Amino acid sequence: MEDEKRTVRAVERALDVLLCFASGHEWSLTEIAGRIGLHKSTVHRLLATLEDRGFVTRDVATERYRLGLSVLELSANLSRSDDPSVVLLPEMERLRDQLSETISLYVRDRTERVRIQAVQSMQAIRRVATVGARLPLSVGASSKVLLAFSEAGVRGIVMSDPAWPALLNREDFGKQLDEIVAAGYATSFEEREPGAAAVSAPIFNRSGKLVAALSVSGPSNRLTPNRMHEHAPAIIEAAHRMGTILG
């Protein structure tokens, strides 16, 4: 029984190492150990195993690690027929061309949101969205959409998490989420970072299940509160089309 527990823990630690590369192209042994809170000797053994299996590769000159070819081999076998990031890309490009702003697709992963697809604006000054970025659910238009339209109980779980900002009143935030449900979309104006604004709408599949949040973001001097409200019907319509496509 003890051996089984150690095996599971080792797998969890190895996955923690791999997940470091979701937020960075390459890392040193010291950086990885610091990020996942393990001793360097333990991380070194994990990296040696992952390197042997081809999941990471080490630059001998710099002693920094990157993802290996085995990750590409696995990703090549992902099912693309029901992957929203692939299936919805043409509609995202269509909305980008219509509104001339950056379009992003977010999904909830426990107490965070993850950007799984992005189509960059063609304008010289634009909001650059990085695919794979993880952001908190306590701030931002897409975060509010993913919570407002989530299944019963999700709000409470997320807002009771120890990582929830102490200064963010849960009751007031809950009322804001109710208002978003009534409106059908959410906005954020310089909430997460100065100079940035976004408006987001939910994407439901034909069964009525929330699949993702569709977001339009850009500089706050261009994507003003009035402009976001003007864009909302087009974004809601695009989200509805996307939900129909997903089936």
Side-chain angles (χ1 to χ4, degrees), residues 4 9 43 48 58 96 144 146 149 151 180 206 244:
E4 181 182 346
R9 184 59 181 148
V43 175
R58 177 171 55 93
R96 185 271 313 275
K144 290 182 282 189
L146 290 172
F149 297 93
E151 298 175 355
I180 289 169
R206 293 182 185 176
T244 302

Side-chain angles (χ1 to χ4, degrees), residues 96 100-102 119-129 195-196 217-219 221-222:
R96 185 271 313 275
S100 299
E101 298 292 357
T102 295
V119 178
Q120 310 296 344
S121 168
M122 304 301 286
Q123 301 204 53
I125 300 176
R126 61 185 182 271
R127 181 79 197 290
V128 177
S217 60
N221 63 347
R222 191 169 65 227

Side-chain angles (χ1 to χ4, degrees), residues 111-187:
T111 59
E112 296 178 306
R113 59 176 161 122
V114 183
R115 186 184 292 119
I116 62 171
Q117 186 59 280
V119 178
Q120 310 296 344
S121 168
M122 304 301 286
Q123 301 204 53
I125 300 176
R126 61 185 182 271
R127 181 79 197 290
V128 177
T130 305
V131 174
R134 286 179 171 270
L135 300 166
L137 284 174
S138 56
V139 65
S142 294
S143 292
K144 290 182 282 189
V145 161
L146 290 172
L147 280 180
F149 297 93
S150 62
E151 298 175 355
V154 170
R155 287 191 198 182
I157 293 173
V158 173
M159 288 193 283
S160 62
D161 187 87
W164 187 263
L167 296 178
L168 190 58
N169 184 278
R170 290 173 172 80
E171 184 177 352
D172 291 342
F173 193 80
K175 291 178 180 178
Q176 186 180 1
L177 295 182
D178 290 337
E179 293 172 356
I180 289 169
V181 171
Y185 66 98
T187 63

Side-chain angles (χ1 to χ4, degrees), residues 2-247:
E2 190 65 31
D3 288 341
E4 181 182 346
K5 289 182 179 179
R6 280 202 298 268
T7 301
V8 171
R9 184 59 181 148
V11 172
E12 290 176 347
R13 288 173 169 176
L15 292 174
D16 286 340
V17 170
L18 290 176
L19 286 172
C20 286
F21 296 94
S23 56
H25 181 61
E26 61 178 28
W27 301 97
S28 69
L29 169 63
T30 301
E31 288 170 338
I32 294 174
R35 288 180 66 86
I36 64 178
L38 292 176
H39 292 296
K40 288 197 291 185
S41 59
T42 301
V43 175
H44 184 269
R45 291 194 297 271
L46 292 169
L47 285 167
T49 301
L50 291 169
E51 184 179 7
D52 182 63
R53 294 287 183 170
F55 284 94
V56 299
T57 181
R58 177 171 55 93
D59 187 315
V60 178
T62 63
E63 290 296 319
R64 296 179 72 81
Y65 292 85
R66 299 180 179 183
L67 289 177
L69 293 178
S70 291
V71 175
L72 293 177
E73 292 172 1
L74 286 177
S75 65
N77 291 309
L78 279 171
S79 173
R80 301 295 182 181
S81 61
D82 56 356
D83 184 349
S85 66
V86 176
V87 176
L88 301 181
L89 184 57
E91 285 295 327
M92 294 177 66
E93 292 173 340
R94 175 179 173 181
L95 186 62
R96 185 271 313 275
D97 294 342
Q98 180 183 356
L99 301 182
S100 299
E101 298 292 357
T102 295
I103 311 300
S104 298
L105 201 64
Y106 291 93
V107 296
R108 183 180 67 85
D109 182 19
R110 290 171 291 185
T111 59
E112 296 178 306
R113 59 176 161 122
V114 183
R115 186 184 292 119
I116 62 171
Q117 186 59 280
V119 178
Q120 310 296 344
S121 168
M122 304 301 286
Q123 301 204 53
I125 300 176
R126 61 185 182 271
R127 181 79 197 290
V128 177
T130 305
V131 174
R134 286 179 171 270
L135 300 166
L137 284 174
S138 56
V139 65
S142 294
S143 292
K144 290 182 282 189
V145 161
L146 290 172
L147 280 180
F149 297 93
S150 62
E151 298 175 355
V154 170
R155 287 191 198 182
I157 293 173
V158 173
M159 288 193 283
S160 62
D161 187 87
W164 187 263
L167 296 178
L168 190 58
N169 184 278
R170 290 173 172 80
E171 184 177 352
D172 291 342
F173 193 80
K175 291 178 180 178
Q176 186 180 1
L177 295 182
D178 290 337
E179 293 172 356
I180 289 169
V181 171
Y185 66 98
T187 63
S188 63
F189 191 81
E190 299 187 338
E191 284 186 11
R192 195 172 63 82
E193 59 182 285
V199 54
S200 180
I203 299 175
F204 301 98
N205 62 18
R206 293 182 185 176
S207 300
K209 180 181 179 181
L210 179 66
V211 176
L214 175 65
S215 174
V216 175
S217 60
S220 57
N221 63 347
R222 191 169 65 227
L223 204 56
T224 62
N226 286 339
R227 180 60 60 85
M228 286 192 286
H229 291 303
E230 291 173 0
H231 285 339
I235 299 168
I236 293 171
E237 181 183 349
H240 178 73
R241 285 198 308 269
M242 293 179 184
T244 302
I245 291 171
L246 291 176

